[in-house]
Structures are given as C-alpha cells and as structure tokens.
Amino acid sequence: MKQRDPSAGYKSVGITVITSALGIINWFELRGLLLVLLTFFGVKRDSWQGIDNFSFLLMGVAWLAYVFYCQYDLKKKAEAGQVLQASAMLLAIQLGLLFVCNFLSHVLLGVPFEAHMMLFLIVEGALTLLLGWFAISAARRRALR
C-alpha cells in the first residue's frame, strides 16, 4: 500500500504518544474513581480486590485499544490535513474525562477542595472547553466549504 504522506506516520505516532500518556493518567484516575464509588456505595471491602483486579485488566485492554485507534485515526487525519482538529478532539475528550473523575472523587468523598486541586480542575475544564470548541469549529468550517 502506498503512503501518500510519509510524515503522516510520524505526526500520528508523536501525537499518539501524548494521548496515550494522558490515557494512562486517565486509567489510574478511573481506577481511583472506582474505589471511591465502592466506598460511597458501601461495597464490602472483601470484594474490592477482585473488582479492582478485573477493572484494572478491563481498563488496560480499553487503553490499548484506544492507543491503536488513535494511531490509526490520526494517521488518516494527518494524510487528509486534519490532524490538529482530530488531536484537539481526542485531547478534549481525555481532559474532560480527567476533569469528571477528579471532580466526582472529591464530591463523593466530601473532601474539601484545596487551592492546587481547584487550579487543576479549572485548567482541565478550561482546556476541555477550549480544545472542544476548536475541534468543533474547525469541523464546521470544513463542512461548510
């Protein structure tokens, strides 16, 4: 199969490295949120180990599938000249997930928000909105052409 743009592979791999690193952070935050939910709903502590092991495995497989999907999708978008729009949307989704996990963990446990945590939440939320707005507006401009 001929590759139209040889640099598309390099671009997609570079951005995939960034999204996969953020995906690992999301993986651990989701795992932490799961433990918070187990605490909040009063699940017996004897069950935690099995639930944690199964969720760790399941989220690991989901993360690996996500990395493969990102590399494939970003390569296609790089060949079409839409890599910024696609990477902005992927990062917005990941940052939004990180925001929701951090926010819910604090709210469900009733832990007061410290200044640095509040700053992280504001930055995550603002970047989610900014990157999502950029990706959606770029898609609309491209569709109107």
Side-chain angles (χ1 to χ4, degrees), residues 27-43:
W27 180 4
F28 288 115
E29 287 297 324
L30 281 168
R31 189 172 173 216
L33 179 62
L34 177 66
L35 293 176
V36 167
L37 289 171
L38 293 175
T39 303
F40 183 75
F41 289 115
V43 175

Side-chain angles (χ1 to χ4, degrees), residues 41-77:
F41 289 115
V43 175
K44 288 189 265 180
R45 289 192 183 267
D46 298 338
S47 306
W48 285 22
Q49 185 67 38
I51 294 170
D52 185 42
N53 288 341
F54 180 73
S55 67
F56 187 77
L57 179 67
L58 188 65
M59 285 188 264
V61 170
W63 173 79
L64 188 59
Y66 175 75
V67 170
F68 284 130
Y69 168 76
C70 282
Q71 202 280 325
Y72 170 76
D73 188 51
L74 288 172
K75 185 174 180 184
K76 281 181 27 182
K77 297 293 184 176

